[in-house]
Amino acid sequence: MTHPALARTHPVTAADWDLVAAFHAQCSEQSLLRRWGRTRLTPRDLTRLLAQAQCWIGLDADERPLALVCVGPVSGEPGVVDLGLQVADDRHRQGIGTALVRQAARIARTRGARTLTAFTQASNAPMLRLLERLGPTRHTRDGPYVEVRIALDAHASDTLPPTRTAPT
């Protein structure tokens, strides 16, 4: 994973609730509502998520959480994994999400996934652009939402341009 703001990623377990809660404290209610469908998450929510998906939290050099990314076979379709991503509000548009999604796509592909899906608001242009950069996509509209499917062929992430970083 390459991004100057991310010192490392940490695999999330149920024991990491305090770290996940600290991350969510950096996110607005609107951002939480957009990502989770509610403004508050509980340890039980995290336990349920971890039963279906693998999650990593991106940390900066001071061990502060910057983003959370998850992949898992939520749909139950063979070879298909669902992507979840949330970046702290003050860290949007800095390339952190792109770096984490690329890492998640590589991991999913090495574990046998052929397709990555994401369900997001149709108005979430930054997320849609990020997904388009991963490879060929197919969009299916569902009211104000869209499901995006990305083929995880062997060369998709290897041909992406370098991650864009924020100007210094």
Side-chain angles (χ1 to χ4, degrees):
M1 175 198 42
T2 304
H3 192 281
L6 290 169
R8 69 184 184 96
T9 57
H10 171 74
V12 176
T13 69
D16 292 312
W17 170 249
D18 290 341
L19 187 60
V20 172
F23 166 67
H24 284 132
Q26 299 176 66
C27 300
S28 66
E29 285 188 359
Q30 179 185 15
S31 181
L32 291 170
L33 187 62
R34 189 176 330 133
R35 171 64 185 97
W36 301 100
R38 64 181 94 174
T39 59
R40 188 171 154 323
L41 277 84
T42 66
R44 184 174 178 211
D45 296 324
L46 179 62
T47 300
R48 278 192 248 150
L49 175 63
L50 293 173
Q52 296 185 26
Q54 294 181 293
C55 301
W56 301 270
I57 198 156
L59 303 168
D60 70 9
D62 295 324
E63 296 290 299
R64 287 184 301 240
L66 302 177
L68 179 67
V69 65
C70 304
V71 291
V74 176
S75 69
E77 294 177 64
V80 177
V81 294
D82 187 59
L83 169 73
L85 173 68
Q86 186 165 16
V87 177
D89 289 8
D90 65 340
R91 303 310 294 252
H92 286 189
R93 302 194 57 83
Q94 296 178 14
I96 294 167
T98 300
L100 289 172
V101 168
R102 285 180 177 165
Q103 175 185 354
R106 278 191 295 273
I107 290 168
R109 190 173 42 252
T110 62
R111 294 183 179 164
R114 294 180 316 278
T115 303
L116 185 70
T117 66
F119 193 73
T120 189
Q121 292 178 340
S123 62
N124 189 348
M127 181 63 164
L128 294 172
R129 279 192 305 273
L130 185 159
L131 296 169
E132 291 285 338
R133 288 193 303 265
L134 288 177
T137 61
R138 187 176 78 226
H139 296 232
T140 304
R141 188 75 184 247
D142 184 8
Y145 298 95
V146 64
E147 179 192 49
V148 180
R149 288 180 167 251
I150 302 127
L152 293 178
D153 62 12
H155 66 277
S157 68
D158 299 331
T159 60
L160 292 172
T163 302
R164 184 177 62 102
T165 58
T168 56

